[in-house]
Amino acid sequence: MITKTLKVPNDLSEITLGQYQRFNKVLSKDPDEDFLQKKTIEIFCGVELKDVEKYKYSSIVDVIKIINKMFEQKPNLTQRVNNNGIEFGFIPQLDSMTFGEFVDLDLLLSDFDTMDEAMAVLYRKIEHKHKDNYTLVEYNSEKITDMKWLPLDIVFGALFFLQSLEKELQNHTLSYLETHMKTIPQEQRRALMKPLAGGQVFTPSHKVG
């Protein structure tokens, strides 16, 4: 039996998007409860899988409760975040997003495997700033910034924010496309607008039995 104290995260800010994506892949395979608990400890507490079963059963149960409680948090939107001295900002005006940003974001938000790329659309390096105002570097889909380091509270905060604006974003997106796609043949236009009409925004959720 291992007596070493587990380092247990109790706030979403202590978990990275990359860690959650690893966990989500396990979750998507519908594993049995015991394996899911082991992977939860491995991924979020930094314990090798083979060593998880060496801890006291009561300790593992307590850790799972703490992690489940943590995932009940609903953080607010964070406008700016700093990583290694580089400041990133959330898109200041969603209604000013470009066509490329709209289309890529709609596709990337539909799957947590691509959530890091979605966050690279929403959060970009701040180019200029003055007091509370700032501008971001231009979006380039061929040069996606690695955002797996992003703390999960910031990711969930952005998702909850988008969820609250879901209908508004959907309506604006469709209006934007109708206005700016007049030159595209009707059938192609329908194909492009079909996934956007669903208005689906990924809702984060998690619970280990």
Side-chain angles (χ1 to χ4, degrees), residues 47 113 120 133 149 159 203:
V47 177
D113 283 346
N133 299 317
W149 57 267
L159 294 179
T203 302

Side-chain angles (χ1 to χ4, degrees), residues 92-131:
Q93 294 179 305
L94 289 175
D95 59 358
S96 295
M97 291 175 70
T98 65
F99 174 75
E101 289 170 329
F102 264 126
V103 173
D104 286 356
L105 190 59
D106 181 77
L107 175 65
L108 297 169
L109 282 174
S110 65
D111 189 336
F112 227 102
D113 283 346
T114 56
M115 193 58 66
D116 56 312
E117 295 180 51
M119 290 299 124
V121 179
L122 292 171
Y123 285 94
R124 301 203 299 277
K125 293 179 182 178
I126 293 178
E127 189 171 37
H128 302 292
K129 61 182 177 180
H130 177 67
K131 296 182 179 179

Side-chain angles (χ1 to χ4, degrees), residues 125-194:
K125 293 179 182 178
I126 293 178
E127 189 171 37
H128 302 292
K129 61 182 177 180
H130 177 67
K131 296 182 179 179
D132 292 334
N133 299 317
Y134 57 84
T135 59
L136 307 177
V137 297
E138 185 176 295
Y139 174 63
N140 185 342
S141 61
E142 296 182 358
K143 294 183 179 180
I144 297 294
T145 302
D146 181 7
M147 300 297 280
K148 291 182 181 293
W149 57 267
L150 203 61
L152 204 58
D153 62 322
I154 293 176
V155 177
F156 280 12
L159 294 179
F160 287 129
F161 176 74
L162 291 180
Q163 185 181 26
S164 69
L165 296 178
E166 182 175 355
K167 188 171 182 61
E168 179 181 341
L169 286 171
Q170 174 189 342
N171 291 339
H172 180 80
T173 301
L174 295 176
S175 175
Y176 183 97
L177 291 175
E178 289 170 355
T179 301
H180 295 273
M181 296 176 68
K182 300 295 186 182
T183 60
I184 297 178
Q186 187 175 11
E187 289 303 314
Q188 292 183 30
R189 198 182 317 149
R190 287 175 180 170
L192 285 170
M193 292 176 69
K194 186 175 180 180

Side-chain angles (χ1 to χ4, degrees), residues 35-49:
F35 183 70
L36 180 58
Q37 289 181 339
K38 289 180 181 179
K39 292 298 290 185
T40 299
I41 301 297
E42 176 195 31
I43 294 171
F44 297 134
C45 300
V47 177
E48 290 190 36
L49 190 64

